[in-house]
Amino acid sequence: MSTVGKAISLLELFTVAEPELGLSDLARRSGFDKATTRRLLVALTGHGLVEQDAATRLYRLGAGLSRLARIREARFPFLQTAVPLVRDLASATAETVHLSEYGVDRLVTVHVEHPARANRVNVDIGQLLPLHSTASGIVYLAFARDEAVKACLTTPLEAFTAHTLTEPAAIARSMGEARERGYSICDQGLEEGVISVAAAILAADGFALGTIAVAAPKARTTAADIAERGLAAVAAAREISMRLNGDNLQALRRQA
Amino acid sequence: MSTVGKAISLLELFTVAEPELGLSDLARRSGFDKATTRRLLVALTGHGLVEQDAATRLYRLGAGLSRLARIREARFPFLQTAVPLVRDLASATAETVHLSEYGVDRLVTVHVEHPARANRVNVDIGQLLPLHSTASGIVYLAFARDEAVKACLTTPLEAFTAHTLTEPAAIARSMGEARERGYSICDQGLEEGVISVAAAILAADGFALGTIAVAAPKARTTAADIAERGLAAVAAAREISMRLNGDNLQALRRQA
DNA sequence: AAATAACGGTTCAAATAATGAACCACATCC
DNA sequence: GGATGTGGTTCATTATTTGAACCGTTATTT
């Protein structure tokens, strides 16, 4: 792995659940030597991608990341555009709604709205979603470039639950259904007792760039709920796509 | 420079004004060899910090940055907390209001609200503000740790305009005034014809972590405007500080 | 339409930067 | 007091990065 890759993999150790980590901890988790880990952290800190708490000596992600993310957002106002519609969908469904964006053969959760009820599906910001075992992933693949689909289906697929589809053929079938319906359904593919629907958000070229998904406890979800949420997700995704691409008709080419 | 530093300095070439750059361009601006530049870009792309447009082959900042920035925000909800108050201050003053956060001996502009009028001060997201020649910088220093102040005042200070203060003693005086008033005033320190006021946002330890500033064309700004904006900025900064630190009284220790 | 220049991307011997075992100093904890 | 945990540092050894020269394409220019 390149030195740069190592440095970035240090950044990836920080999560919502554990946003601050010590040097030894980082070294242990990354598998790098303590000296190496520290040198990388110093380099990252020097550019503001990591900060060190003056008192606790713990490391955390730095302000430079906010800066870079905002520059990206200025070019690509994905969050800005999508968040209001995620909120609307969340209040309409009273279930967890999460927004993801494609990045390096996975989907990256960039926003989440949780309903104000105790029994709900919990999704963390920053969580990484595999493509083959989530509603978001399936619908993403359904509207993705062939290369991306091929790349996904030719690697061995992990089974997270007894329900996870790992056969390329089965996944292709799911994708086909999603393409027809406009939304995907994933029944406990990543976690037992969770059922999700998702719709694809399209870039100007007509290919998916991200997804919007509704996740709910299976116990209280009926077939009618699924259909209703699916259609609502499609409407939200379509609206986000249109706002992103300035009503460009090409955006709907594949979804039509 | 470490390889990691080089990779990050590539990220820093992207701005709001130029969010997409080609390989040769990046190599030229960074001063790295084309082969090196590309290897770094590949490493960054492999982790989602950079994306390459499939059609134009241009590079841009990647979705992974949004992810990391959101994880940071979850720990440190600076933007989430501050943006509404930035908006309020912008509509109250009808001038440009910008929010910055400290990062590696500069302030990083993380949010901006522009008034809906043609003649205004324009600030870009991601813009880096020097500490000695901006209202934000002065008030930051006024409430910063001694080390940070020392680090700033012991390096040679650039004069951006004829009005820029570059004497450590003059800057220390400005800082003192800012500490007394609660807000700083910077009269054309960075750009001719622009006058700004700023107030410090404090962390739980009582030291500044960022600033909120109002910037306006000097031509239409009276002494009364300055005082009014200053007090409004202080109120906004104090509110943000309190919300961030959960009404923790310690937050006001130094501002009291 | 041929020539030129600029683009993105690749190669491999040479040069340079990264590595990690052993080492502090300090803080708990038993 | 001894054992184990931190964060941080050193420097000979080692592995990675480097960049001139290369290729194939795609605009410009003549």
Side-chain angles (χ1 to χ4, degrees), chain A residues 151-168:
Chain A
C152 173
L153 296 186
T154 51
T155 47
L157 301 173
E158 188 179 348
F160 297 97
T161 71
H163 307 85
T164 308
L165 300 180
T166 56
E167 289 296 314

Side-chain angles (χ1 to χ4, degrees), chain A residues 31-231:
Chain A
F32 309 143
D33 186 90
K34 198 162 49 123
T36 301
T37 306
R38 186 164 141 75
R39 227 166 12 79
L40 295 173
L41 285 169
V42 168
L44 291 166
T45 305
H47 289 262
L49 265 47
V50 161
E51 291 169 354
Q52 184 174 28
D53 190 293
T56 64
R57 316 238 100 189
L58 259 39
Y59 295 89
R60 60 162 173 261
L61 297 175
L65 290 166
S66 298
R67 179 178 109 87
L68 294 169
R70 297 295 307 241
I71 290 175
R72 175 181 157 78
E73 265 288 304
R75 168 69 176 162
F76 223 67
F78 184 52
L79 272 169
Q80 234 169 287
T81 308
V83 167
L85 288 146
V86 174
R87 287 219 176 100
D88 292 349
L89 186 57
S91 56
T93 57
E95 293 290 358
T96 300
V97 176
H98 55 108
L99 182 76
S100 21
E101 194 172 356
Y102 180 76
V104 201
D105 58 57
R106 279 176 307 200
L107 286 165
V108 173
T109 305
V110 291
H111 189 77
V112 183
E113 292 284 338
H114 288 120
R117 55 205 292 186
N119 180 19
R120 66 189 194 193
V121 176
N122 225 70
V123 177
D124 276 345
I125 281 185
Q127 199 171 318
L128 298 170
L129 307 174
L131 293 177
H132 71 285
S133 62
T134 60
S136 291
I138 294 296
V139 80
Y140 177 83
L141 288 174
F143 293 96
R145 296 195 138 74
D146 287 340
E147 306 101 77
V149 178
K150 204 168 179 180
C152 173
L153 296 186
T154 51
T155 47
L157 301 173
E158 188 179 348
F160 297 97
T161 71
H163 307 85
T164 308
L165 300 180
T166 56
E167 289 296 314
I171 291 166
R173 203 172 325 118
S174 271
M175 284 165 50
E177 290 165 12
R179 215 174 287 118
E180 278 174 38
R181 268 197 306 257
Y183 60 92
S184 61
I185 302 171
C186 184
D187 187 353
Q188 312 176 77
L190 187 61
E191 205 178 307
E192 296 282 353
V194 173
I195 190 155
S196 300
V197 302
I201 296 163
L202 306 183
D205 60 10
F207 294 103
L209 67 86
T211 66
I212 183 167
V214 184
K218 180 165 172 136
R220 63 163 174 248
T221 303
T222 66
D225 288 335
I226 294 289
E228 193 183 319
R229 284 172 202 162
L231 294 176

